[in-house]
PDB file of all heavy atoms in Angstrom:
ATOM      1  N   ILE A 807       6.009  -0.168  -6.703  1.00  0.00           N
ATOM      2  CA  ILE A 807       6.546  -1.149  -5.731  1.00  0.00           C
ATOM      3  C   ILE A 807       5.630  -1.209  -4.506  1.00  0.00           C
ATOM      4  O   ILE A 807       5.287  -2.257  -3.983  1.00  0.00           O
ATOM      5  CB  ILE A 807       7.993  -0.850  -5.363  1.00  0.00           C
ATOM      6  CG1 ILE A 807       8.898  -0.990  -6.652  1.00  0.00           C
ATOM      7  CG2 ILE A 807       8.434  -1.771  -4.227  1.00  0.00           C
ATOM      8  CD1 ILE A 807       9.022  -2.392  -7.096  1.00  0.00           C
ATOM      9  N   GLN A 809       2.545  -0.271  -4.178  1.00  0.00           N
ATOM     10  CA  GLN A 809       1.228  -0.853  -4.409  1.00  0.00           C
ATOM     11  C   GLN A 809       1.258  -2.354  -4.737  1.00  0.00           C
ATOM     12  O   GLN A 809       0.391  -3.074  -4.259  1.00  0.00           O
ATOM     13  CB  GLN A 809       0.663  -0.163  -5.653  1.00  0.00           C
ATOM     14  CG  GLN A 809       0.271   1.284  -5.455  1.00  0.00           C
ATOM     15  CD  GLN A 809      -0.268   1.998  -6.638  1.00  0.00           C
ATOM     16  OE1 GLN A 809       0.088   1.638  -7.798  1.00  0.00           O
ATOM     17  NE2 GLN A 809      -1.156   2.977  -6.477  1.00  0.00           N
ATOM     18  N   LYS A 810       2.334  -2.866  -5.322  1.00  0.00           N
ATOM     19  CA  LYS A 810       2.439  -4.283  -5.615  1.00  0.00           C
ATOM     20  C   LYS A 810       2.722  -5.103  -4.377  1.00  0.00           C
ATOM     21  O   LYS A 810       2.264  -6.255  -4.230  1.00  0.00           O
ATOM     22  CB  LYS A 810       3.468  -4.502  -6.679  1.00  0.00           C
ATOM     23  CG  LYS A 810       3.544  -5.969  -7.145  1.00  0.00           C
ATOM     24  CD  LYS A 810       4.551  -6.176  -8.314  1.00  0.00           C
ATOM     25  CE  LYS A 810       4.591  -7.617  -8.717  1.00  0.00           C
ATOM     26  NZ  LYS A 810       5.518  -7.826  -9.854  1.00  0.00           N
ATOM     27  N   TYR A 811       3.527  -4.481  -3.468  1.00  0.00           N
ATOM     28  CA  TYR A 811       3.884  -5.192  -2.243  1.00  0.00           C
ATOM     29  C   TYR A 811       3.460  -4.347  -1.023  1.00  0.00           C
ATOM     30  O   TYR A 811       4.353  -3.807  -0.293  1.00  0.00           O
ATOM     31  CB  TYR A 811       5.390  -5.462  -2.220  1.00  0.00           C
ATOM     32  CG  TYR A 811       5.953  -6.116  -3.484  1.00  0.00           C
ATOM     33  CD1 TYR A 811       6.646  -5.451  -4.422  1.00  0.00           C
ATOM     34  CD2 TYR A 811       5.660  -7.480  -3.645  1.00  0.00           C
ATOM     35  CE1 TYR A 811       7.084  -6.133  -5.551  1.00  0.00           C
ATOM     36  CE2 TYR A 811       6.097  -8.169  -4.769  1.00  0.00           C
ATOM     37  CZ  TYR A 811       6.800  -7.483  -5.732  1.00  0.00           C
ATOM     38  OH  TYR A 811       7.233  -8.122  -6.831  1.00  0.00           O
ATOM     39  N   PRO A 812       2.154  -4.190  -0.775  1.00  0.00           N
ATOM     40  CA  PRO A 812       1.738  -3.362   0.291  1.00  0.00           C
ATOM     41  C   PRO A 812       2.154  -3.860   1.656  1.00  0.00           C
ATOM     42  O   PRO A 812       2.197  -5.093   1.902  1.00  0.00           O
ATOM     43  CB  PRO A 812       0.171  -3.422   0.170  1.00  0.00           C
ATOM     44  CG  PRO A 812      -0.085  -4.731  -0.511  1.00  0.00           C
ATOM     45  CD  PRO A 812       1.061  -4.871  -1.530  1.00  0.00           C
ATOM     46  N   ASP A 813       2.565  -2.976   2.516  1.00  0.00           N
ATOM     47  CA  ASP A 813       2.987  -3.274   3.860  1.00  0.00           C
ATOM     48  C   ASP A 813       4.244  -4.119   3.999  1.00  0.00           C
ATOM     49  O   ASP A 813       4.541  -4.636   5.086  1.00  0.00           O
ATOM     50  CB  ASP A 813       1.815  -4.023   4.634  1.00  0.00           C
ATOM     51  CG  ASP A 813       0.553  -3.209   4.684  1.00  0.00           C
ATOM     52  OD1 ASP A 813       0.653  -1.994   4.789  1.00  0.00           O
ATOM     53  OD2 ASP A 813      -0.544  -3.797   4.502  1.00  0.00           O
ATOM     54  N   VAL A 814       5.052  -4.244   2.889  1.00  0.00           N
ATOM     55  CA  VAL A 814       6.299  -4.951   2.997  1.00  0.00           C
ATOM     56  C   VAL A 814       7.406  -3.972   3.347  1.00  0.00           C
ATOM     57  O   VAL A 814       8.305  -4.343   4.095  1.00  0.00           O
ATOM     58  CB  VAL A 814       6.597  -5.624   1.609  1.00  0.00           C
ATOM     59  CG1 VAL A 814       8.025  -6.185   1.645  1.00  0.00           C
ATOM     60  CG2 VAL A 814       5.611  -6.773   1.458  1.00  0.00           C
ATOM     61  N   ALA A 962       8.206 -10.851  -2.093  1.00  0.00           N
ATOM     62  CA  ALA A 962       8.737  -9.571  -2.611  1.00  0.00           C
ATOM     63  C   ALA A 962      10.248  -9.662  -2.704  1.00  0.00           C
ATOM     64  O   ALA A 962      10.868  -9.154  -3.672  1.00  0.00           O
ATOM     65  CB  ALA A 962       8.301  -8.429  -1.683  1.00  0.00           C
ATOM     66  N   ASP A 965      11.032 -11.585  -5.852  1.00  0.00           N
ATOM     67  CA  ASP A 965      10.753 -10.916  -7.127  1.00  0.00           C
ATOM     68  C   ASP A 965      11.766  -9.772  -7.343  1.00  0.00           C
ATOM     69  O   ASP A 965      12.168  -9.534  -8.464  1.00  0.00           O
ATOM     70  CB  ASP A 965       9.376 -10.316  -7.014  1.00  0.00           C
ATOM     71  CG  ASP A 965       8.272 -11.356  -7.109  1.00  0.00           C
ATOM     72  OD1 ASP A 965       8.548 -12.537  -7.425  1.00  0.00           O
ATOM     73  OD2 ASP A 965       7.131 -11.016  -6.765  1.00  0.00           O
TER      74      ASP A 965
END
Side-chain angles (χ1 to χ4, degrees):
I807 295 294
Q809 290 178 330
K810 186 175 182 179
Y811 306 106
D813 302 324
V814 170
D965 290 345

